[in-house]
Amino acid sequence: MKVYSALAASIAVCQACHALQVPFVSSPTQDTLQTVNKRLISEKTEQYIQTLLTKWNSSGISVAVVRKDESSPTGWHHEFGSYGVAKADGSPVTPDSLFAIASNSKLVLAFSVGLLISNKTLAEERGKEIKWNTKIRDLIPEWGLMDEDMDRGVSIQDMLSHRTGMPRHDYSGVSREGGISEMISTLRYLRPSAEFRETFQYNNLMYETLSYLPQVLLNQTYESYVAQHIFGPLNMSSSTFSVADAEASGNLADGFQWDAKDITQGKNGTLVPTVPYFQRPGEEKIWAGAGGVLTSARDLATWVSMLLNNGRHPYTNETVIPSEIVEHVAHGRSVSHGKPEYPEWSPKVYGAGQWRYAYQGHDIIEHGGSNPGYKTQVSRFPNDNLGIITLSNDEIGGRFIIEAIKFRIADELLGLKELDWNDRFEAKWNEYVEKAQKSTPRPEEPKLPSAPFSALAEGTFHHPTYGTLRPCLVPSSVSSAPDSADALSSSCSNLFSSYAVQRILSQSDLSVPTYIFPWKRFFVSHLRLAHFNGNLFNVTTVFSNADVREKEGYSHGDGEGGPESKGDVLVIWEERFLAEWVHGEEEGLAFKGDFWGREGLDSRSPGGTGKESAEVWFAKE
């Protein structure tokens, strides 16, 4: 297995935390005896978890296992396992550590929509019921899509089941002055990659659009609607969408990422905490419905118990989510995986905020979540009265650890054939790394673009949804570029003098003509364009929190991070895209190479060259 370099000093001081596993009981009676006698996380599983953390050189993980237990005074057995490091200061993970659960938030959104649909008072006031098949254009005035059939036909269910025909377009996601309303109004400029209802294509923007419904229908923010109707009734007191509140609680686990990692170049990097949280207070509002919940294993244990209890509170038995809504959103409507990914799995279908498939003959309903520095999985086996929650604050190893632990616990508690999922995941990761390092090399004698390199840096390029690109040509990367700061524009001069860009350049091959774009997105801070051949450029997305740390007054760290790091984290994402510099009647940059994030066997890339080949077209202004 390819293992990344040693953890930062803050992790080293808490290596013993990997061995920390305390079985906590969440019931009001604190029935410790049942936990001791009927362990859901066995000693064997504990040892397995500790082995995984060591193998993947990982930071921390929080585990919760939930099961109905008629012998308990509450009818439920909750057990928690807490392992490793939660924060930069070495403090350990606990059941109350808050994690960004990312796309596990989508089920919350789906339930909020279901509650609006079942609201009889709202239907009377509107004079018309809202249904799952209600067209979204009939509810949201700002709605509009490029394709007329999609624009007219997309229903609430289509959006929830990812069958609109739209690819992800995640890089268009950015905080906007006009909030969700403005975001929705820009969807009409995004190019589709399939016909309406032709194939499954995961799309965060559709979920974010649906989060606008409480505002449109009730004049209430989505966040307060969820707090009132879901988090509050379930007593999920730690759960929030607010980054400020999560940070103020003192329980927010730091997300750990690999600083200066670039697997395409064989650079392992150093695991460091991303401090502060990658979104700053206020920025999280635009992504709340698609992936904004911050919560703990303890709160999620209550959440999963409610799901297993058909929408009723696990302790009071009062209805929180009507059972017909719980059933509706769990029912598969789109086929996301037409054939099993592993012999023990069935094909997968997607309902609303949940995947559903069979594992060794057992029905499983689940969703994962991925934010920078966090990987989460919330799963339930409805016919076995079993729920398993795994939350990691490790960017790389976490994605595999949460799955391996989930399946190990399921195998043990359900009496299934025990499989070593970690071996499979190690092989899968190594295959991914090997593939990433086999990218097509730049020609030994590449052709020059149709115009001088400096001409690209003189332009400004714009897309009405993705925003504006202002390329800055790195002077030392091309002989014809200005060789002094005085010859650069003031904006480019300031950009190159920033510590964040200096670090990016230190990890770049400047023997190739290179441009840097400041480009603030949710998971990205900069774009890097490196000349490939002719009018084609390789595109790399980069995340740095150096500017945020400087703005908020963080110290320069104490030896954390990779070379030249001041406690910040620099992530060079492994995905590589293409940009074609198009000349002629219309000059612009045609971004492609799956920049838009399409999925499904029936989706299509535009193909060809020029503007028509663009997945996203940035026109020169």
Side-chain angles (χ1 to χ4, degrees):
M1 172 185 177
K2 295 184 179 178
V3 180
Y4 281 83
S5 59
L7 302 182
S10 64
I11 300 181
V13 301
C14 196
Q15 289 296 324
C17 295
H18 279 179
L20 175 64
Q21 195 282 326
V22 182
F24 297 87
V25 179
S26 65
S27 65
T29 59
Q30 293 294 303
D31 185 11
T32 306
L33 182 61
Q34 70 160 352
T35 305
V36 173
N37 291 340
K38 300 173 66 175
R39 293 286 299 276
L40 298 179
I41 305 174
S42 68
E43 183 177 347
K44 181 181 178 182
T45 297
E46 289 181 51
Q47 294 172 352
Y48 182 66
I49 294 172
Q50 293 161 11
T51 298
L52 293 180
L53 288 170
T54 300
K55 276 190 172 185
W56 289 97
N57 208 11
S58 191
S59 44
I61 192 160
S62 187
V63 180
V65 184
V66 172
R67 205 160 199 187
K68 284 186 176 181
D69 185 350
E70 299 301 331
S71 68
S72 166
T74 65
W76 293 89
H77 185 178
H78 292 177
E79 188 167 309
F80 301 91
S82 303
Y83 310 82
V85 175
K87 290 178 170 290
D89 61 9
S91 57
V93 174
T94 76
D96 298 307
S97 296
L98 298 178
F99 290 77
I101 64 169
S103 287
N104 271 300
S105 309
K106 285 182 170 63
L107 183 54
V108 178
L109 181 282
F111 281 155
S112 77
V113 172
L115 291 174
L116 290 171
I117 289 173
S118 67
N119 188 327
K120 301 302 181 184
T121 301
L122 177 61
E124 291 174 3
E125 291 176 351
R126 296 183 72 248
K128 186 179 182 180
E129 288 186 336
I130 301 173
K131 300 179 180 179
W132 297 100
N133 63 0
T134 295
K135 302 296 186 283
I136 197 66
R137 69 181 298 181
D138 295 335
L139 298 175
I140 298 180
E142 295 89 341
W143 173 261
L145 292 180
M146 182 181 292
D147 182 273
E148 291 186 6
D149 289 339
M150 295 179 189
D151 182 26
R152 293 192 302 265
V154 167
S155 69
I156 290 173
Q157 188 63 60
D158 294 322
M159 300 167 77
L160 289 170
S161 299
H162 300 301
R163 61 188 189 192
T164 63
M166 294 291 290
R168 282 175 175 261
H169 283 297
D170 278 347
Y171 291 124
S172 70
V174 64
S175 295
R176 301 177 188 272
E177 289 185 10
I180 302 296
S181 172
E182 181 183 345
M183 184 218 79
I184 297 170
S185 70
T186 68
L187 295 177
R188 67 192 70 235
Y189 305 110
L190 298 176
R191 189 171 185 174
S193 57
E195 299 294 328
F196 179 40
R197 293 179 181 164
E198 184 178 18
T199 192
F200 173 92
Q201 290 193 100
Y202 196 87
N203 190 290
N204 288 303
L205 300 176
M206 296 300 109
Y207 272 73
E208 205 50 49
T209 298
L210 289 169
S211 74
Y212 191 51
L213 287 179
Q215 187 73 54
V216 171
L217 299 172
L218 302 172
N219 195 29
Q220 182 177 9
T221 67
Y222 170 68
E223 294 89 339
S224 77
Y225 184 82
V226 168
Q228 177 183 351
H229 294 281
I230 300 178
F231 291 164
L234 283 171
N235 302 313
M236 294 173 64
S237 57
S238 296
S239 301
T240 182
F241 293 95
S242 169
V243 172
D245 288 352
E247 290 181 332
S249 74
N251 289 326
L252 180 60
D254 295 327
F256 284 74
Q257 299 188 80
W258 291 89
D259 178 65
K261 168 190 69 71
D262 187 346
I263 65 172
T264 65
Q265 302 298 317
K267 297 178 181 178
N268 292 337
T270 305
L271 189 63
V272 298
T274 304
V275 179
Y277 184 72
F278 77 97
Q279 286 180 323
R280 305 314 302 132
E283 294 178 353
E284 74 274 24
K285 293 183 180 299
I286 199 81
W287 217 239
V293 174
L294 299 156
T295 189
S296 66
R298 192 182 301 280
D299 271 9
L300 286 173
T302 301
W303 171 256
V304 173
S305 297
M306 177 271 290
L307 296 175
L308 292 171
N309 205 32
N310 296 316
R312 300 187 304 276
H313 193 291
Y315 298 140
T316 68
N317 220 35
E318 294 180 1
T319 296
V320 179
I321 309 294
S323 59
E324 60 270 21
I325 297 176
V326 176
E327 175 59 28
H328 182 94
V329 300
H331 189 87
R333 284 174 169 78
S334 297
V335 178
S336 62
H337 300 76
K339 66 177 183 179
E341 295 178 84
Y342 295 98
E344 298 80 16
W345 294 6
S346 70
K348 284 186 177 181
V349 293
Y350 197 94
Q354 297 169 108
W355 265 281
R356 192 165 195 163
Y357 62 104
Y359 172 64
Q360 294 201 56
H362 289 253
D363 189 20
I364 181 172
I365 306 172
E366 67 179 10
H367 210 288
S370 177
N371 270 354
Y374 303 90
K375 305 295 177 188
T376 66
Q377 187 66 262
V378 179
S379 310
R380 69 186 188 276
F381 294 78
N383 298 328
D384 301 289
N385 296 320
L386 174 64
I388 303 171
I389 300 150
T390 50
L391 313 173
S392 169
N393 61 342
D394 171 12
E395 172 67 32
I396 298 293
R399 72 183 74 175
F400 303 117
I401 292 173
I402 60 173
E403 295 290 334
I405 293 173
K406 174 192 72 180
F407 286 125
R408 173 56 61 93
I409 292 172
D411 290 348
E412 187 171 79
L413 294 181
L414 301 180
L416 306 177
K417 178 183 178 181
E418 187 175 287
L419 303 167
D420 194 337
W421 282 96
N422 186 64
D423 285 352
R424 293 180 175 184
F425 293 145
E426 285 182 16
K428 185 176 182 179
W429 172 247
N430 288 333
E431 181 182 342
Y432 177 80
V433 170
E434 184 178 354
K435 182 178 179 181
Q437 294 174 353
K438 287 183 177 179
S439 57
T440 303
R442 188 175 186 233
E444 293 185 6
E445 297 183 6
K447 296 178 182 179
L448 293 175
S450 301
F453 288 111
S454 58
L456 180 58
E458 295 168 0
T460 298
F461 303 83
H462 182 75
H463 184 280
T465 311
Y466 278 78
T468 300
L469 301 178
R470 297 184 177 88
C472 288
L473 177 60
V474 180
S476 60
S477 70
V478 60
S479 58
S480 61
D483 57 4
S484 69
D486 294 336
L488 295 170
S489 67
S490 59
S491 60
C492 288
S493 179
N494 292 335
L495 180 72
F496 290 136
S497 65
S498 72
Y499 163 72
V501 171
Q502 286 295 314
R503 283 209 73 203
I504 294 172
L505 296 180
S506 73
Q507 301 296 316
S508 303
D509 180 4
L510 298 184
S511 68
V512 176
T514 300
Y515 303 81
I516 300 294
F517 298 54
W519 206 51
K520 173 64 175 171
R521 309 284 106 173
F522 289 122
F523 307 151
V524 176
S525 61
H526 299 80
L527 289 183
R528 182 179 67 190
L529 265 65
H531 183 247
F532 179 69
N533 190 35
N535 290 327
L536 290 177
F537 293 79
N538 288 317
V539 180
T540 305
T541 55
V542 180
F543 171 81
S544 168
N545 68 345
D547 290 341
V548 170
R549 286 177 60 86
E550 182 177 352
K551 179 180 178 181
E552 298 192 16
Y554 282 86
S555 67
H556 290 334
D558 298 306
E560 299 174 355
E564 303 179 14
S565 171
K566 296 180 179 179
D568 57 293
V569 61
L570 172 66
V571 179
I572 300 173
W573 299 111
E574 52 264 27
E575 294 89 354
R576 295 293 188 266
F577 311 107
L578 284 175
E580 179 186 354
W581 185 11
V582 179
H583 302 271
E585 292 185 7
E586 289 187 83
E587 183 178 347
L589 290 171
F591 275 65
K592 44 194 171 181
D594 203 30
F595 188 72
W596 58 0
R598 71 179 179 92
E599 292 181 76
L601 293 175
D602 298 313
S603 64
R604 295 166 293 279
S605 294
T609 60
K611 180 180 178 181
E612 294 305 312
S613 71
E615 298 164 359
V616 182
W617 171 253
F618 291 86
K620 185 177 181 181
E621 294 185 324

